[in-house]
């Protein structure tokens, strides 16, 4: 299969409302044996040139066709467009373009149309239409610049002075813009790597941006597989950079797939913080994860979610940055996506409503003093300025809500601080309680010991009372005995005194000394009886008895 054959097949499929990039990729992958890189690039060139110039090509062919183009067989129509595109816009020599187109006509089984193809291509290639051929701006945009009637009318109405320049700019070819991954490499190192692979590299308008003329598919580069860069247009990079994300921030990208802006934001954050990247189509969430894994991004969290539905679980008023890169008509990237040229803009009202819901939700997710970035890839006023104006019209309400959220946050912070103070007080009280409990246990133990000691003291007191009573009994008994002894002694003394008197009258001189001693003893007995201390009483009584016995003898 030749490059021209593959291009014609892809054009036939695309005319049946297929997405241009998907159709071409499918045909290239299905080609056996696969085309060489050079032939694949040539087939892609034919395919996209026809899509970009189809209205003009059809106008030129219609000048010499006896039948309306839509009445021609699909292969013939596609071959005529491809052949004329090569001759007029791809610098392919006319003879080569014509001869190859005739061969293709036969290859597709349309031999009867080969002569017509030859003649029409030679005649139409001689035409050289200029924009001035269509004085009416809208007609010029539609035919010469190949925009659908609704798009041409929109450009003419909204940009009457700039519409033609804008349409012409869609045909300009620019280097591919890429975003350097500073987590994996540097601008200088990646430049050197790409140049060694044979690509032409120049510095972009801001750091970590390079403009590259690739000699093939950028995804085929080893640096791409190593996660050192991702392909991202300048406008897309600029939208992500407007977020001004910093490490540690909490960032929400509501419409993230295929992931270029999320990658740039994650790299701005140095993969520190929280990045939530949402996508409404479940199948595209996988693309986000693959992009993050390839570039070594760990803090990004791809998720499946409809951005038009508010999700309080994310935390309203909690994101430092919110990016609303909303679905749009794509009228600003017609140069990259030529099939947009044929859009009818049907259903634009529903699209506007979707954008409005996403933008309003994005504002509700935004934290006080945060930044909300709204971006599209269209030039339609209704999708851009009008949406922002609608949001700002409700700005007072949003500001009021923002102020309320701010006040609530202040209150919450105070409550948190109060809770922290209460927690500290609780900890202090808990420690005091623990100390008091320990002291109480000590007191309980001391009380128990005191009770035991008190019981012992009570026993001792009882014993002491008994002893005291016993002593009192002894004292009473001793007193009685003392009184008895005193009375006995007095009686005895009186008896002895009487005997002394008797003996004095009867005694002889030889008893004088003995009597004298007896008299002294009696005197001592009287003294003793005058003393309350009776400790010597028994001794004294014994002496008297001895004397008495002596006297008897």
């Amino acid at each position: 299969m030749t490059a021209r054959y593959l291009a014609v097949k892809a054009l036939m499929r695309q005319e049946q409302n297929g997405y241009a990039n998907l159709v071409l990729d499918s045909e290239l992958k299905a080609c056996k044996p696969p085309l060489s890189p050079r032939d694949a690039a040539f087939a892609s060139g034919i395919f996209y040139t026809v899509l970009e110039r189809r209205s003009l090509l059809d106008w030129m062919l219609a000048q010499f066709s006896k039948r309306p183009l839509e009445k021609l067989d699909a292969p013939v129509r596609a071959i005529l467009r491809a052949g004329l595109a090569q001759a007029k816009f791809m610098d392919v020599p006319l003879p080569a373009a014509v001869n190859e187109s005739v061969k293709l006509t036969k290859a597709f089984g349309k031999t009867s149309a080969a002569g017509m193809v030859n003649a029409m291509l030679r005649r139409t290639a001689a035409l050289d239409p200029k924009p001035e051929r269509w004085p009416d701006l809208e007609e010029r945009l539609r035919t010469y610049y190949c925009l659908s009637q609704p798009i041409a009318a929109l450009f003419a109405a909204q940009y009457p002075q700039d519409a033609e320049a804008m349409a012409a700019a869609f045909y300009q070819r620019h280097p591919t813009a890429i975003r350097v991954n500073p987590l994996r490499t540097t601008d200088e190192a990646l430049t050197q790597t790409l140049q060694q692979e044979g690509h032409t590299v120049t510095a972009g308008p801001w750091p970590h941006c390079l403009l590259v003329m690739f000699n093939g598919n950028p995804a085929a580069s080893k640096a791409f597989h190593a996660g050192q860069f991702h392909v991202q247009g300048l406008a897309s990079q600029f939208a992500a950079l407007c977020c001004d994300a910093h490490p540690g921030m909490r960032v929400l990208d509501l419409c993230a797939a295929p992931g270029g802006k999320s990658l740039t934001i994650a790299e701005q954050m140095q993969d520190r913080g929280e990045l939530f990247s949402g996508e409404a189509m479940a199948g595209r969430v996988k693309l986000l994860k693959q992009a993050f894994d390839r570039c070594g991004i760990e803090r990004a969290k791809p998720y499946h979610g409809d951005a038009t539905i508010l999700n309080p679980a994310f935390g309203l008023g909690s994101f430092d940055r919110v990016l609303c890169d909303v679905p749009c008509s794509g009228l600003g990237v017609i140069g990259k996506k030529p099939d947009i040229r044929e859009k009818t803009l049907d259903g634009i009202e529903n699209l506007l409503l979707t954008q409005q819901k996403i933008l309003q939700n994005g504002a509700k997710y935004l934290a006080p003093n945060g930044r909300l970035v709204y971006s599209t890839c269209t030039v339609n006023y209704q999708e851009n300025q009008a949406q922002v104006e609608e949001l700002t019209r409700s700005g007072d309400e949003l500001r009021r809500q923002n102020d309320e959220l701010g006040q609530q946050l202040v209150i919450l912070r105070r409550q948190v601080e109060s809770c922290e103070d209460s927690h500290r007080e609780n900890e202090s009280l808990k420690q005091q309680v623990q100390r008091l409990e320990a002291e109480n246990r000590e007191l309980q133990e001391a009380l128990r010991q005191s009770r035991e000691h008190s019981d012992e003291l009570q026993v001792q007191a009882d014993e002491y009372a008994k002893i005291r009573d016993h002593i009192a009994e002894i004292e009473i008994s001793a007193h009685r005995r003392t009184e008895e002894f005193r009375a006995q002694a007095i009686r005895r003394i009186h008896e002895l005194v009487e005997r002394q008197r008797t003996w004095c009258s009867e005694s002889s001189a030889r008893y004088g000394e003995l009597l004298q001693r007896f008299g002294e003893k009696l005197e001592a007995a009287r003294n003793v009886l005058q003393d309350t201390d009776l400790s010597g009483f028994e001794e004294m009584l014994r002496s008297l008895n001895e004397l008495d016995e002596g006297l008897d003898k």
Side-chain angles (χ1 to χ4, degrees), residues 157-169:
Q158 295 187 11
Y159 303 96
Q161 303 300 322
D162 302 319
E164 186 171 2
M166 292 167 61

Side-chain angles (χ1 to χ4, degrees), residues 258-259 263 286-297:
L263 284 173
K286 183 178 180 180
L287 297 178
L288 288 171
K289 188 177 187 310
Q290 290 174 347
F292 293 143
D293 291 344
R294 182 177 61 83
C295 294
I297 303 299

Side-chain angles (χ1 to χ4, degrees), residues 22 93 164 172 190 348 371 379 385 407 421 436 499 533:
L22 299 180
E164 186 171 2
Q172 295 176 6
L190 181 58
I348 190 69
R371 177 177 292 189
V379 293
Q385 292 92 329
Q407 293 172 2
D421 293 340
L436 289 174
R499 290 183 67 180
D533 184 6

Side-chain angles (χ1 to χ4, degrees), residues 297-345:
I297 303 299
E298 298 179 353
R299 301 297 295 176
K301 301 175 183 178
Y303 70 92
H304 176 222
D306 187 347
T308 64
I309 300 175
L310 191 66
N311 186 357
F314 277 157
L316 303 183
S318 66
F319 286 90
D320 302 296
R321 300 288 187 268
V322 177
L323 174 60
C324 299
D325 184 44
V326 299
C328 66
S329 58
L331 302 184
V333 290
I334 290 175
K336 294 181 179 179
K337 300 179 179 180
D339 45 348
I340 294 177
R341 292 175 178 274
E342 302 299 324
K343 273 194 171 183
T344 63
L345 299 184

Side-chain angles (χ1 to χ4, degrees), residues 109-125:
K110 303 297 178 181
T111 303
S112 59
M116 183 266 291
V117 168
N118 188 329
M120 285 188 63
L121 288 178
R122 292 184 184 277
R123 296 178 68 182
T124 54

